[in-house]
Amino acid sequence: MADLTIKLNNGELMPAIGLGTWRGNESGLLEQTIKTAIDLGYRHIDCAKLYGNQEEIGKALKEVAVPRKDLFIVSKFEENRHRPELVAGALDEILGELQLEYLDLLLMHWPYAIKPEANAMSFASSDIENVPIMDTWRAMEDLVSTGKVRSIGVSNFNQTILEKMVPQCRIVPAVNQIEIHPYNQAKELVKFCKKNGIAVTGYCPLGGRRVNVMNDDLIKHVAEAHIGTPAQVALSWALARGIAVIPKSTNEIRLKQNLHQVTLTSDEMRMIGKIEKQERKVDPVNDNKELEWVFHEDKMECPVI
């Protein structure tokens, strides 16, 4: 349900069901989608500078009747702003686009850095640079006292990186946002995050494109048993694991359906948990071999932490 929350390690409450906005402006409907979602009960809106649509989101947020204090707005800064002297400006740019005075949660979008002049959507191996993750993170820690951001976290961070990072943190990441769905369950990473007080948000919780979770025979069978949809099953499975979800849709019917869980039995949770397919929708190695370490820890040479 829309009022389900996850308590972060700093005491802030994050709504467990949010709205993803990646490529949400492709149909030209994003501004109206944000308004509709908030009218339906969504309070958690996930954004990113990389998505290129924060100005449309900002316009919608200005026009909704729900008070700002009742919304939970997340954004992420790009890899070309990892140099510590650029982090504060990256936040200010995000706030300007969203027309907000503060973010509820700011995330480091990726654990790798590229040169400031590089395009985060299209860059070459020569654009990758070695900015220590902790240098970037300490700049993020300094932002909390400014009042411009209430919580800070990371995105797409694997366990190897977090194991080296967490002991050095003054502020432990509140959230790690990662790809989570029945075909990419990330059991060990989720376990590690929970043990260290890091909440997990699952992006692409329904799979998508070549990751065809919605047509999985087991997921469809469970949905039929509950007179629900495959999407509701996938979302409910993640929520039952204590993972926040940020599905994306511009369809009002699906937006409404995604807010409502089905109560899965322990046997259903166990069966879904045993799905052996390992498929990922997002993987930077598809574009750049040098980034193989991000998701393939067995081949990882850990970056500068």
Side-chain angles (χ1 to χ4, degrees):
M1 298 296 288
D3 57 357
L4 183 66
T5 60
I6 291 175
K7 190 173 185 178
L8 304 183
N9 58 21
N10 59 359
E12 297 287 338
L13 296 178
M14 177 174 70
I17 304 175
L19 179 69
T21 61
W22 165 237
R23 290 182 172 168
N25 57 344
E26 288 184 336
S27 60
L29 300 174
L30 181 59
E31 188 175 341
Q32 184 56 51
T33 297
I34 297 293
K35 294 176 183 177
T36 299
I38 291 174
D39 285 344
L40 290 172
Y42 286 82
R43 295 295 180 264
H44 175 172
I45 309 295
D46 182 76
C47 316
K49 174 65 178 175
L50 186 70
Y51 301 167
N53 56 17
Q54 291 188 137
E55 291 183 352
E56 289 90 341
I57 295 170
K59 291 175 185 176
L61 294 176
K62 275 292 184 184
E63 296 180 12
V64 297
V66 174
R68 171 67 184 92
K69 65 181 180 61
D70 294 334
L71 298 173
F72 192 94
I73 310 299
V74 183
S75 191
K76 317 169 196 74
F77 62 91
E78 292 180 307
E79 307 90 279
N80 56 14
R81 293 295 180 267
H82 276 220
R83 293 182 186 179
E85 67 272 18
L86 300 179
V87 173
L91 172 59
D92 287 339
E93 189 171 0
I94 288 169
L95 292 174
E97 290 182 348
L98 292 171
Q99 301 184 56
L100 298 176
E101 294 182 358
Y102 70 91
L103 287 179
D104 294 277
L105 176 63
L106 175 68
L107 303 178
M108 193 187 313
H109 204 154
W110 290 94
Y112 60 85
I114 60 176
K115 296 173 183 177
E117 65 273 16
N119 185 332
M121 288 292 288
S122 177
F123 58 90
S125 299
S126 58
D127 291 320
I128 299 171
E129 64 174 9
N130 288 325
V131 178
I133 287 172
M134 284 308 301
D135 286 1
T136 307
W137 183 253
R138 290 186 180 107
M140 293 177 68
E141 290 177 326
D142 290 341
L143 293 176
V144 176
S145 61
T146 68
K148 293 180 179 180
V149 61
R150 294 187 171 176
S151 304
I152 54 175
V154 296
S155 179
N156 298 301
F157 273 46
N158 64 44
Q159 184 172 332
T160 301
I161 297 173
L162 290 172
E163 285 175 344
K164 295 177 180 293
M165 177 183 176
V166 168
Q168 303 182 59
C169 293
R170 176 168 57 88
I171 301 174
V172 173
V175 170
N176 186 18
Q177 186 181 118
I178 57 178
E179 182 173 341
I180 291 278
H181 47 70
Y183 287 4
N184 190 62
Q185 302 195 12
K187 293 176 184 177
E188 290 304 313
L189 179 54
V190 170
K191 181 180 178 180
F192 175 86
C193 287
K194 289 186 176 182
K195 182 179 178 181
N196 287 275
I198 303 170
V200 176
T201 296
Y203 69 77
C204 298
L206 308 179
R209 294 189 179 180
R210 62 184 180 276
V211 183
N212 206 357
V213 176
M214 296 297 94
N215 279 328
D216 183 270
D217 288 341
L218 174 60
I219 299 297
K220 291 195 294 184
H221 174 75
V222 174
E224 290 170 2
H226 289 274
I227 317 177
T229 67
Q232 287 173 324
V233 171
L235 296 174
S236 299
W237 167 81
L239 292 165
R241 296 175 68 199
I243 297 169
V245 291
I246 46 172
K248 187 197 83 172
S249 180
T250 58
N251 180 285
E252 184 172 352
I253 293 174
R254 288 195 290 271
L255 284 169
K256 189 178 299 183
Q257 289 173 339
N258 290 346
L259 281 177
H260 297 282
Q261 301 174 63
V262 295
T263 302
L264 301 176
T265 67
S266 57
D267 281 345
E268 289 166 340
M269 288 293 296
R270 179 180 53 79
M271 287 189 295
I272 296 172
K274 286 187 174 182
I275 292 176
E276 294 182 351
K277 287 187 179 179
Q278 183 59 45
E279 299 178 8
R280 186 184 294 278
K281 182 178 178 181
V282 178
D283 192 340
V285 74
N286 294 331
D287 301 312
N288 200 307
K289 185 71 173 177
E290 283 73 13
L291 298 177
E292 189 170 36
W293 56 266
V294 176
F295 293 142
H296 303 272
E297 294 175 81
D298 58 321
K299 302 176 182 177
M300 179 178 179
E301 291 184 8
C302 196
V304 179
I305 303 294

